[in-house]
Short mmCIF file of all heavy atoms in Angstrom, two decimals:
data_model
loop_
_atom_site.label_atom_id
_atom_site.label_comp_id
_atom_site.label_asym_id
_atom_site.label_seq_id
_atom_site.Cartn_x
_atom_site.Cartn_y
_atom_site.Cartn_z
N LEU A 1080 -17.78 42.42 -32.14
CA LEU A 1080 -19.12 42.72 -31.66
C LEU A 1080 -19.05 43.70 -30.51
O LEU A 1080 -19.91 44.48 -30.38
CB LEU A 1080 -19.82 41.49 -31.27
CG LEU A 1080 -20.35 40.56 -32.28
CD1 LEU A 1080 -21.00 39.27 -31.66
CD2 LEU A 1080 -21.28 41.18 -33.22
N GLY A 1081 -18.14 43.44 -29.63
CA GLY A 1081 -18.09 44.27 -28.40
C GLY A 1081 -17.14 45.46 -28.61
O GLY A 1081 -16.58 45.70 -29.65
N SER A 1082 -17.07 46.19 -27.54
CA SER A 1082 -16.14 47.38 -27.53
C SER A 1082 -15.51 47.47 -26.12
O SER A 1082 -16.03 46.90 -25.14
CB SER A 1082 -16.97 48.65 -27.80
OG SER A 1082 -18.00 48.82 -26.78
N ALA A 1083 -14.37 48.09 -26.11
CA ALA A 1083 -13.63 48.23 -24.85
C ALA A 1083 -14.39 49.19 -23.89
O ALA A 1083 -14.78 50.28 -24.26
CB ALA A 1083 -12.23 48.75 -25.09
N GLY A 1084 -14.49 48.76 -22.70
CA GLY A 1084 -15.13 49.59 -21.68
C GLY A 1084 -14.09 50.47 -20.99
O GLY A 1084 -12.90 50.44 -21.42
N PRO A 1085 -14.51 51.25 -20.06
CA PRO A 1085 -13.56 52.21 -19.41
C PRO A 1085 -12.38 51.47 -18.70
O PRO A 1085 -11.28 52.04 -18.54
CB PRO A 1085 -14.44 52.94 -18.38
CG PRO A 1085 -15.74 52.33 -18.35
CD PRO A 1085 -15.81 51.44 -19.51
N ASP A 1086 -12.66 50.17 -18.36
CA ASP A 1086 -11.58 49.43 -17.70
C ASP A 1086 -10.73 48.65 -18.67
O ASP A 1086 -9.84 47.92 -18.30
CB ASP A 1086 -12.19 48.47 -16.66
CG ASP A 1086 -13.14 47.53 -17.31
OD1 ASP A 1086 -13.41 47.58 -18.50
OD2 ASP A 1086 -13.76 46.69 -16.54
N GLY A 1087 -11.03 48.82 -19.96
CA GLY A 1087 -10.28 48.14 -21.02
C GLY A 1087 -10.71 46.74 -21.36
O GLY A 1087 -10.22 46.19 -22.32
N LYS A 1088 -11.74 46.29 -20.65
CA LYS A 1088 -12.25 44.95 -20.90
C LYS A 1088 -13.35 45.07 -21.98
O LYS A 1088 -14.15 45.97 -22.07
CB LYS A 1088 -12.83 44.32 -19.65
CG LYS A 1088 -11.73 44.09 -18.63
CD LYS A 1088 -12.32 43.42 -17.42
CE LYS A 1088 -11.20 43.20 -16.39
NZ LYS A 1088 -11.63 42.90 -15.07
N THR A 1089 -13.38 44.06 -22.88
CA THR A 1089 -14.35 44.00 -23.93
C THR A 1089 -15.72 43.66 -23.41
O THR A 1089 -15.88 42.70 -22.67
CB THR A 1089 -13.93 42.99 -25.08
OG1 THR A 1089 -12.66 43.33 -25.56
CG2 THR A 1089 -14.93 42.99 -26.18
N THR A 1090 -16.71 44.46 -23.82
CA THR A 1090 -18.09 44.31 -23.31
C THR A 1090 -19.03 44.32 -24.51
O THR A 1090 -18.87 45.04 -25.41
CB THR A 1090 -18.44 45.46 -22.38
OG1 THR A 1090 -17.53 45.49 -21.28
CG2 THR A 1090 -19.83 45.30 -21.79
N VAL A 1091 -20.06 43.42 -24.38
CA VAL A 1091 -21.11 43.39 -25.44
C VAL A 1091 -22.47 43.09 -24.69
O VAL A 1091 -22.47 42.37 -23.69
CB VAL A 1091 -20.80 42.29 -26.51
CG1 VAL A 1091 -20.78 40.90 -25.92
CG2 VAL A 1091 -21.79 42.41 -27.65
N LYS A 1092 -23.52 43.71 -25.22
CA LYS A 1092 -24.79 43.41 -24.69
C LYS A 1092 -25.25 42.02 -25.13
O LYS A 1092 -25.01 41.59 -26.24
CB LYS A 1092 -25.85 44.42 -25.20
CG LYS A 1092 -25.56 45.87 -24.80
CD LYS A 1092 -25.85 46.04 -23.30
CE LYS A 1092 -25.67 47.57 -22.94
NZ LYS A 1092 -25.56 47.75 -21.55
N PHE A 1093 -25.95 41.31 -24.22
CA PHE A 1093 -26.35 39.91 -24.51
C PHE A 1093 -27.28 39.87 -25.76
O PHE A 1093 -27.13 38.98 -26.58
CB PHE A 1093 -27.06 39.40 -23.32
CG PHE A 1093 -27.68 37.96 -23.60
CD1 PHE A 1093 -26.88 36.88 -23.82
CD2 PHE A 1093 -29.05 37.82 -23.64
CE1 PHE A 1093 -27.41 35.64 -24.10
CE2 PHE A 1093 -29.62 36.56 -23.93
CZ PHE A 1093 -28.78 35.54 -24.14
N GLY A 1094 -28.12 40.85 -25.90
CA GLY A 1094 -28.99 40.92 -27.06
C GLY A 1094 -28.31 40.94 -28.35
O GLY A 1094 -28.64 40.33 -29.37
N VAL A 1095 -27.19 41.76 -28.39
CA VAL A 1095 -26.39 41.91 -29.64
C VAL A 1095 -25.68 40.56 -29.90
O VAL A 1095 -25.63 40.09 -31.02
CB VAL A 1095 -25.37 43.03 -29.44
CG1 VAL A 1095 -24.34 43.00 -30.55
CG2 VAL A 1095 -26.06 44.30 -29.27
N LEU A 1096 -25.16 39.93 -28.88
CA LEU A 1096 -24.44 38.68 -29.02
C LEU A 1096 -25.43 37.58 -29.50
O LEU A 1096 -25.12 36.80 -30.38
CB LEU A 1096 -23.85 38.25 -27.66
CG LEU A 1096 -22.88 37.13 -27.60
CD1 LEU A 1096 -21.66 37.40 -28.42
CD2 LEU A 1096 -22.47 36.86 -26.17
N PHE A 1097 -26.62 37.52 -28.95
CA PHE A 1097 -27.60 36.51 -29.21
C PHE A 1097 -28.08 36.64 -30.65
O PHE A 1097 -28.34 35.68 -31.37
CB PHE A 1097 -28.75 36.56 -28.29
CG PHE A 1097 -29.63 35.37 -28.30
CD1 PHE A 1097 -29.35 34.33 -27.45
CD2 PHE A 1097 -30.74 35.25 -29.17
CE1 PHE A 1097 -30.18 33.15 -27.47
CE2 PHE A 1097 -31.51 34.12 -29.22
CZ PHE A 1097 -31.29 33.08 -28.32
N ALA A 1098 -28.21 37.89 -31.16
CA ALA A 1098 -28.78 38.18 -32.49
C ALA A 1098 -27.73 38.02 -33.57
O ALA A 1098 -28.12 37.98 -34.78
CB ALA A 1098 -29.36 39.60 -32.54
N ASP A 1099 -26.43 37.92 -33.23
CA ASP A 1099 -25.39 37.83 -34.26
C ASP A 1099 -25.39 36.47 -34.95
O ASP A 1099 -25.33 35.46 -34.26
CB ASP A 1099 -24.00 38.08 -33.65
CG ASP A 1099 -22.89 38.11 -34.67
OD1 ASP A 1099 -22.85 39.10 -35.41
OD2 ASP A 1099 -22.14 37.16 -34.70
N ASP A 1100 -25.48 36.41 -36.28
CA ASP A 1100 -25.49 35.16 -36.98
C ASP A 1100 -24.22 34.36 -36.77
O ASP A 1100 -24.28 33.09 -36.74
CB ASP A 1100 -25.66 35.48 -38.50
CG ASP A 1100 -27.07 35.83 -38.82
OD1 ASP A 1100 -27.98 35.60 -38.07
OD2 ASP A 1100 -27.27 36.54 -39.88
N ARG A 1101 -23.08 34.99 -36.74
CA ARG A 1101 -21.84 34.20 -36.57
C ARG A 1101 -21.78 33.49 -35.23
O ARG A 1101 -21.44 32.33 -35.13
CB ARG A 1101 -20.58 35.22 -36.63
CG ARG A 1101 -20.34 35.74 -38.02
CD ARG A 1101 -19.14 36.69 -37.94
NE ARG A 1101 -19.53 37.79 -37.12
CZ ARG A 1101 -18.69 38.74 -36.68
NH1 ARG A 1101 -17.41 38.57 -36.97
NH2 ARG A 1101 -19.06 39.71 -35.92
N CYS A 1102 -22.27 34.22 -34.19
CA CYS A 1102 -22.31 33.51 -32.84
C CYS A 1102 -23.29 32.36 -32.82
O CYS A 1102 -23.15 31.30 -32.28
CB CYS A 1102 -22.70 34.52 -31.79
SG CYS A 1102 -21.30 35.63 -31.42
N ALA A 1103 -24.44 32.61 -33.47
CA ALA A 1103 -25.47 31.56 -33.57
C ALA A 1103 -24.93 30.31 -34.23
O ALA A 1103 -25.25 29.16 -33.89
CB ALA A 1103 -26.71 32.05 -34.26
N ASN A 1104 -24.15 30.49 -35.30
CA ASN A 1104 -23.60 29.34 -36.03
C ASN A 1104 -22.50 28.64 -35.21
O ASN A 1104 -22.36 27.42 -35.35
CB ASN A 1104 -23.11 29.78 -37.39
CG ASN A 1104 -24.22 30.16 -38.32
OD1 ASN A 1104 -25.34 29.66 -38.20
ND2 ASN A 1104 -23.91 31.07 -39.25
N ILE A 1105 -21.68 29.41 -34.53
CA ILE A 1105 -20.60 28.82 -33.82
C ILE A 1105 -20.99 28.17 -32.48
O ILE A 1105 -20.61 27.09 -32.15
CB ILE A 1105 -19.55 29.91 -33.53
CG1 ILE A 1105 -18.96 30.43 -34.86
CG2 ILE A 1105 -18.41 29.32 -32.61
CD1 ILE A 1105 -18.00 31.61 -34.65
N PHE A 1106 -21.86 28.88 -31.78
CA PHE A 1106 -22.32 28.36 -30.45
C PHE A 1106 -23.81 28.08 -30.53
O PHE A 1106 -24.70 28.90 -30.33
CB PHE A 1106 -22.13 29.42 -29.41
CG PHE A 1106 -20.74 29.96 -29.30
CD1 PHE A 1106 -20.38 31.25 -29.69
CD2 PHE A 1106 -19.70 29.19 -28.88
CE1 PHE A 1106 -19.12 31.73 -29.61
CE2 PHE A 1106 -18.47 29.57 -28.80
CZ PHE A 1106 -18.10 30.95 -29.16
N GLU A 1107 -24.12 26.79 -30.89
CA GLU A 1107 -25.54 26.35 -30.99
C GLU A 1107 -26.28 26.64 -29.61
O GLU A 1107 -27.39 27.07 -29.63
CB GLU A 1107 -25.65 24.89 -31.30
CG GLU A 1107 -25.51 24.59 -32.76
CD GLU A 1107 -25.72 23.16 -33.08
OE1 GLU A 1107 -26.57 22.57 -32.44
OE2 GLU A 1107 -25.01 22.68 -33.97
N ALA A 1108 -25.67 26.31 -28.59
CA ALA A 1108 -26.20 26.48 -27.26
C ALA A 1108 -25.57 27.68 -26.58
O ALA A 1108 -24.72 27.49 -25.62
CB ALA A 1108 -26.12 25.23 -26.41
N LEU A 1109 -25.80 28.89 -27.02
CA LEU A 1109 -25.17 30.07 -26.58
C LEU A 1109 -25.30 30.28 -25.07
O LEU A 1109 -24.30 30.56 -24.39
CB LEU A 1109 -25.60 31.32 -27.30
CG LEU A 1109 -25.02 32.60 -26.91
CD1 LEU A 1109 -23.51 32.60 -27.18
CD2 LEU A 1109 -25.64 33.78 -27.63
N VAL A 1110 -26.47 30.08 -24.54
CA VAL A 1110 -26.67 30.33 -23.12
C VAL A 1110 -25.85 29.34 -22.30
O VAL A 1110 -25.23 29.77 -21.29
CB VAL A 1110 -28.21 30.19 -22.82
CG1 VAL A 1110 -28.44 30.25 -21.31
CG2 VAL A 1110 -28.98 31.31 -23.46
N GLY A 1111 -25.82 28.07 -22.69
CA GLY A 1111 -25.01 27.08 -21.96
C GLY A 1111 -23.52 27.37 -22.05
O GLY A 1111 -22.73 27.26 -21.09
N THR A 1112 -23.05 27.84 -23.21
CA THR A 1112 -21.70 28.23 -23.41
C THR A 1112 -21.31 29.43 -22.53
O THR A 1112 -20.22 29.41 -21.92
CB THR A 1112 -21.42 28.57 -24.90
OG1 THR A 1112 -21.75 27.52 -25.71
CG2 THR A 1112 -19.98 28.96 -25.14
N LEU A 1113 -22.20 30.38 -22.41
CA LEU A 1113 -21.98 31.55 -21.55
C LEU A 1113 -21.92 31.16 -20.08
O LEU A 1113 -21.05 31.63 -19.36
CB LEU A 1113 -23.00 32.69 -21.74
CG LEU A 1113 -22.95 33.33 -23.15
CD1 LEU A 1113 -24.11 34.29 -23.22
CD2 LEU A 1113 -21.66 34.05 -23.36
N ARG A 1114 -22.80 30.31 -19.68
CA ARG A 1114 -22.77 29.81 -18.32
C ARG A 1114 -21.49 29.08 -17.94
O ARG A 1114 -20.91 29.29 -16.89
CB ARG A 1114 -23.95 28.89 -18.01
CG ARG A 1114 -25.26 29.60 -17.91
CD ARG A 1114 -26.34 28.73 -17.51
NE ARG A 1114 -26.17 28.33 -16.08
CZ ARG A 1114 -26.94 27.38 -15.51
NH1 ARG A 1114 -27.81 26.71 -16.15
NH2 ARG A 1114 -26.70 27.10 -14.25
N ALA A 1115 -21.00 28.23 -18.92
CA ALA A 1115 -19.76 27.50 -18.69
C ALA A 1115 -18.57 28.46 -18.63
O ALA A 1115 -17.66 28.33 -17.80
CB ALA A 1115 -19.52 26.46 -19.79
N ALA A 1116 -18.56 29.51 -19.53
CA ALA A 1116 -17.47 30.44 -19.48
C ALA A 1116 -17.51 31.32 -18.25
O ALA A 1116 -16.43 31.66 -17.68
CB ALA A 1116 -17.66 31.36 -20.74
N LYS A 1117 -18.67 31.60 -17.67
CA LYS A 1117 -18.77 32.40 -16.45
C LYS A 1117 -18.23 31.48 -15.28
O LYS A 1117 -17.50 32.03 -14.43
CB LYS A 1117 -20.20 32.79 -16.14
CG LYS A 1117 -20.35 33.59 -14.91
CD LYS A 1117 -21.77 34.08 -14.66
CE LYS A 1117 -21.80 34.88 -13.36
NZ LYS A 1117 -23.13 35.37 -13.17
N LYS A 1118 -18.59 30.20 -15.26
CA LYS A 1118 -18.14 29.33 -14.21
C LYS A 1118 -16.58 29.22 -14.18
O LYS A 1118 -15.96 29.15 -13.13
CB LYS A 1118 -18.71 27.93 -14.45
CG LYS A 1118 -18.40 26.96 -13.37
CD LYS A 1118 -19.12 25.63 -13.68
CE LYS A 1118 -18.75 24.60 -12.61
NZ LYS A 1118 -19.38 23.31 -12.89
N ARG A 1119 -16.02 29.28 -15.35
CA ARG A 1119 -14.53 29.24 -15.56
C ARG A 1119 -13.87 30.64 -15.45
O ARG A 1119 -12.68 30.73 -15.69
CB ARG A 1119 -14.18 28.57 -16.82
CG ARG A 1119 -14.53 27.05 -16.78
CD ARG A 1119 -14.45 26.41 -18.16
NE ARG A 1119 -14.74 25.01 -18.10
CZ ARG A 1119 -15.93 24.47 -17.98
NH1 ARG A 1119 -17.02 25.27 -17.92
NH2 ARG A 1119 -16.16 23.17 -17.99
N LYS A 1120 -14.65 31.62 -15.14
CA LYS A 1120 -14.19 33.00 -14.95
C LYS A 1120 -13.54 33.60 -16.18
O LYS A 1120 -12.59 34.34 -16.18
CB LYS A 1120 -13.27 33.07 -13.75
CG LYS A 1120 -13.97 32.73 -12.43
CD LYS A 1120 -13.10 32.95 -11.24
CE LYS A 1120 -13.71 32.48 -9.93
NZ LYS A 1120 -15.04 32.32 -9.76
N VAL A 1121 -14.13 33.21 -17.32
CA VAL A 1121 -13.65 33.83 -18.62
C VAL A 1121 -14.43 35.05 -18.91
O VAL A 1121 -13.89 35.99 -19.50
CB VAL A 1121 -13.80 32.75 -19.76
CG1 VAL A 1121 -13.49 33.37 -21.11
CG2 VAL A 1121 -13.01 31.54 -19.52
N ILE A 1122 -15.71 35.03 -18.51
CA ILE A 1122 -16.56 36.20 -18.72
C ILE A 1122 -17.32 36.47 -17.44
O ILE A 1122 -17.32 35.69 -16.49
CB ILE A 1122 -17.61 35.94 -19.84
CG1 ILE A 1122 -18.57 34.81 -19.49
CG2 ILE A 1122 -16.98 35.70 -21.20
CD1 ILE A 1122 -19.79 34.65 -20.38
N HIS A 1123 -18.00 37.62 -17.40
CA HIS A 1123 -18.82 37.98 -16.27
C HIS A 1123 -20.09 38.61 -16.74
O HIS A 1123 -20.10 39.38 -17.75
CB HIS A 1123 -18.11 39.04 -15.34
CG HIS A 1123 -19.02 39.53 -14.27
ND1 HIS A 1123 -19.38 38.74 -13.16
CD2 HIS A 1123 -19.73 40.68 -14.12
CE1 HIS A 1123 -20.17 39.40 -12.44
NE2 HIS A 1123 -20.43 40.64 -12.99
N PHE A 1124 -21.17 38.27 -16.14
CA PHE A 1124 -22.49 38.94 -16.36
C PHE A 1124 -23.27 38.81 -15.04
O PHE A 1124 -23.03 37.91 -14.28
CB PHE A 1124 -23.24 38.38 -17.54
CG PHE A 1124 -23.54 36.92 -17.55
CD1 PHE A 1124 -24.56 36.36 -16.83
CD2 PHE A 1124 -22.67 36.08 -18.21
CE1 PHE A 1124 -24.79 35.02 -16.79
CE2 PHE A 1124 -22.90 34.70 -18.20
CZ PHE A 1124 -23.97 34.17 -17.52
N GLU A 1125 -24.24 39.70 -14.82
CA GLU A 1125 -25.05 39.63 -13.60
C GLU A 1125 -26.08 38.60 -13.79
O GLU A 1125 -26.66 38.38 -14.82
CB GLU A 1125 -25.75 41.03 -13.46
CG GLU A 1125 -24.82 42.15 -13.13
CD GLU A 1125 -24.08 42.00 -11.83
OE1 GLU A 1125 -24.67 41.46 -10.85
OE2 GLU A 1125 -22.88 42.35 -11.80
N GLY A 1126 -26.27 37.88 -12.71
CA GLY A 1126 -27.28 36.82 -12.63
C GLY A 1126 -26.71 35.45 -12.95
O GLY A 1126 -25.53 35.32 -13.22
N GLU A 1127 -27.49 34.41 -12.97
CA GLU A 1127 -27.05 33.07 -13.16
C GLU A 1127 -27.19 32.65 -14.63
O GLU A 1127 -26.43 31.90 -15.18
CB GLU A 1127 -27.89 32.14 -12.34
CG GLU A 1127 -27.57 32.21 -10.82
CD GLU A 1127 -26.18 31.80 -10.52
OE1 GLU A 1127 -25.68 30.79 -11.05
OE2 GLU A 1127 -25.54 32.48 -9.78
N MET A 1128 -28.24 33.12 -15.29
CA MET A 1128 -28.53 32.71 -16.67
C MET A 1128 -29.11 33.87 -17.43
O MET A 1128 -29.77 34.76 -16.88
CB MET A 1128 -29.59 31.61 -16.66
CG MET A 1128 -29.84 31.04 -18.09
SD MET A 1128 -31.15 29.81 -18.13
CE MET A 1128 -30.53 28.57 -17.02
N LEU A 1129 -28.80 33.97 -18.76
CA LEU A 1129 -29.33 35.03 -19.63
C LEU A 1129 -30.44 34.44 -20.57
O LEU A 1129 -30.20 33.35 -21.15
CB LEU A 1129 -28.22 35.64 -20.42
CG LEU A 1129 -27.12 36.33 -19.54
CD1 LEU A 1129 -25.99 36.72 -20.47
CD2 LEU A 1129 -27.67 37.47 -18.77
N LEU A 1130 -31.53 35.14 -20.65
CA LEU A 1130 -32.59 34.73 -21.58
C LEU A 1130 -32.88 35.77 -22.57
O LEU A 1130 -32.91 37.01 -22.22
CB LEU A 1130 -33.85 34.44 -20.71
CG LEU A 1130 -33.74 33.36 -19.66
CD1 LEU A 1130 -35.00 33.33 -18.88
CD2 LEU A 1130 -33.45 32.00 -20.30
N GLN A 1131 -33.09 35.42 -23.81
CA GLN A 1131 -33.33 36.35 -24.88
C GLN A 1131 -34.60 37.13 -24.58
O GLN A 1131 -35.58 36.67 -24.10
CB GLN A 1131 -33.54 35.63 -26.21
CG GLN A 1131 -33.70 36.56 -27.38
CD GLN A 1131 -34.08 35.82 -28.66
OE1 GLN A 1131 -34.48 34.69 -28.69
NE2 GLN A 1131 -33.89 36.54 -29.78
N GLY A 1132 -34.51 38.37 -24.82
CA GLY A 1132 -35.60 39.30 -24.51
C GLY A 1132 -35.48 39.90 -23.17
O GLY A 1132 -35.38 41.12 -22.97
N ALA A 1133 -35.54 39.07 -22.11
CA ALA A 1133 -35.59 39.51 -20.76
C ALA A 1133 -34.20 40.12 -20.37
O ALA A 1133 -34.13 41.04 -19.51
CB ALA A 1133 -35.91 38.39 -19.80
N HIS A 1134 -33.11 39.62 -20.93
CA HIS A 1134 -31.81 40.07 -20.50
C HIS A 1134 -30.97 40.68 -21.72
O HIS A 1134 -29.75 40.72 -21.63
CB HIS A 1134 -31.03 38.87 -19.96
CG HIS A 1134 -31.67 38.33 -18.70
ND1 HIS A 1134 -32.29 37.11 -18.75
CD2 HIS A 1134 -31.86 38.87 -17.51
CE1 HIS A 1134 -32.78 36.88 -17.53
NE2 HIS A 1134 -32.53 37.92 -16.75
N ASP A 1135 -31.65 41.12 -22.69
CA ASP A 1135 -30.94 41.74 -23.88
C ASP A 1135 -30.04 42.94 -23.48
O ASP A 1135 -29.06 43.15 -24.17
CB ASP A 1135 -31.94 42.19 -24.95
CG ASP A 1135 -32.57 41.01 -25.65
OD1 ASP A 1135 -32.15 39.85 -25.54
OD2 ASP A 1135 -33.49 41.26 -26.45
N HIS A 1136 -30.37 43.60 -22.45
CA HIS A 1136 -29.57 44.79 -22.04
C HIS A 1136 -28.43 44.45 -21.10
O HIS A 1136 -27.62 45.37 -20.78
CB HIS A 1136 -30.54 45.72 -21.29
CG HIS A 1136 -31.06 45.21 -19.98
ND1 HIS A 1136 -32.04 44.23 -19.94
CD2 HIS A 1136 -30.68 45.40 -18.71
CE1 HIS A 1136 -32.30 43.85 -18.70
NE2 HIS A 1136 -31.46 44.60 -17.91
N VAL A 1137 -28.25 43.21 -20.72
CA VAL A 1137 -27.22 42.86 -19.78
C VAL A 1137 -25.82 42.84 -20.45
O VAL A 1137 -25.68 42.25 -21.58
CB VAL A 1137 -27.49 41.47 -19.17
CG1 VAL A 1137 -26.35 41.00 -18.28
CG2 VAL A 1137 -28.78 41.54 -18.33
N ASP A 1138 -24.87 43.45 -19.84
CA ASP A 1138 -23.46 43.37 -20.33
C ASP A 1138 -22.80 42.05 -20.12
O ASP A 1138 -22.88 41.50 -18.97
CB ASP A 1138 -22.60 44.48 -19.62
CG ASP A 1138 -22.96 45.88 -20.15
OD1 ASP A 1138 -23.39 46.03 -21.31
OD2 ASP A 1138 -22.81 46.81 -19.30
N VAL A 1139 -22.15 41.55 -21.14
CA VAL A 1139 -21.31 40.37 -21.04
C VAL A 1139 -19.88 40.86 -21.18
O VAL A 1139 -19.53 41.44 -22.21
CB VAL A 1139 -21.63 39.35 -22.10
CG1 VAL A 1139 -20.72 38.11 -22.02
CG2 VAL A 1139 -23.10 38.88 -21.97
N VAL A 1140 -19.04 40.66 -20.17
CA VAL A 1140 -17.71 41.23 -20.08
C VAL A 1140 -16.65 40.13 -20.21
O VAL A 1140 -16.69 39.17 -19.46
CB VAL A 1140 -17.48 42.03 -18.75
CG1 VAL A 1140 -16.10 42.64 -18.74
CG2 VAL A 1140 -18.58 43.08 -18.57
N LEU A 1141 -15.77 40.29 -21.15
CA LEU A 1141 -14.66 39.33 -21.31
C LEU A 1141 -13.61 39.78 -20.29
O LEU A 1141 -13.02 40.84 -20.37
CB LEU A 1141 -14.12 39.45 -22.73
CG LEU A 1141 -12.91 38.48 -23.08
CD1 LEU A 1141 -13.39 37.07 -23.04
CD2 LEU A 1141 -12.52 38.81 -24.53
N LEU A 1142 -13.27 38.89 -19.37
CA LEU A 1142 -12.35 39.14 -18.32
C LEU A 1142 -10.89 39.08 -18.71
O LEU A 1142 -10.09 39.73 -18.16
CB LEU A 1142 -12.64 38.23 -17.08
CG LEU A 1142 -14.05 38.39 -16.51
CD1 LEU A 1142 -14.22 37.32 -15.39
CD2 LEU A 1142 -14.35 39.77 -15.96
N ASN A 1143 -10.60 38.21 -19.67
CA ASN A 1143 -9.20 38.00 -20.08
C ASN A 1143 -9.18 38.23 -21.59
O ASN A 1143 -9.73 37.42 -22.33
CB ASN A 1143 -8.74 36.64 -19.68
CG ASN A 1143 -7.29 36.37 -19.97
OD1 ASN A 1143 -6.71 37.09 -20.81
ND2 ASN A 1143 -6.70 35.39 -19.37
N GLY A 1144 -8.44 39.22 -22.10
CA GLY A 1144 -8.36 39.52 -23.46
C GLY A 1144 -7.65 38.48 -24.31
O GLY A 1144 -7.57 38.60 -25.55
N ASP A 1145 -7.07 37.43 -23.68
CA ASP A 1145 -6.38 36.36 -24.43
C ASP A 1145 -7.30 35.41 -25.20
O ASP A 1145 -6.87 34.63 -26.04
CB ASP A 1145 -5.48 35.57 -23.50
CG ASP A 1145 -4.35 36.39 -23.03
OD1 ASP A 1145 -4.01 37.45 -23.57
OD2 ASP A 1145 -3.81 36.07 -21.92
N TYR A 1146 -8.62 35.53 -24.93
CA TYR A 1146 -9.56 34.56 -25.55
C TYR A 1146 -10.07 35.11 -26.82
O TYR A 1146 -10.28 36.19 -27.11
CB TYR A 1146 -10.72 34.28 -24.66
CG TYR A 1146 -10.31 33.44 -23.45
CD1 TYR A 1146 -10.08 34.01 -22.25
CD2 TYR A 1146 -10.05 32.13 -23.54
CE1 TYR A 1146 -9.66 33.33 -21.15
CE2 TYR A 1146 -9.66 31.33 -22.49
CZ TYR A 1146 -9.43 31.94 -21.25
OH TYR A 1146 -9.09 31.21 -20.22
#
């Protein structure tokens, strides 16, 4: 879903991630999963929580390519 940014880290827009059927099936509570991943420094995004529609343009960045 994502693509490598200039720093080599994989980035995807939240709206793309939220709309993907595979993600919806795997992560029933996508927003909660993203918050937990951010807390554990697996991903980064601006703000505390992402909401569909309001934050569709926000980049979600995978900090460690091992995941």
Side-chain angles (χ1 to χ4, degrees):
L1080 287 177
S1082 58
D1086 58 1
K1088 295 180 179 166
T1089 302
T1090 303
V1091 64
K1092 298 287 184 192
F1093 174 68
V1095 172
L1096 191 62
F1097 196 91
D1099 185 72
D1100 288 336
R1101 290 178 298 167
C1102 287
N1104 290 334
I1105 295 171
F1106 305 112
E1107 279 185 36
L1109 179 61
V1110 173
T1112 302
L1113 292 175
R1114 286 186 70 191
K1117 182 178 181 178
K1118 183 177 178 181
R1119 289 168 179 77
K1120 300 188 184 337
V1121 174
I1122 62 169
H1123 173 75
F1124 56 84
E1125 293 298 322
E1127 290 296 316
M1128 184 185 301
L1129 299 173
L1130 301 173
Q1131 183 185 19
H1134 299 110
D1135 286 351
H1136 65 285
V1137 174
D1138 287 328
V1139 178
V1140 181
L1141 182 62
L1142 298 176
N1143 184 341
D1145 293 339
Y1146 292 101

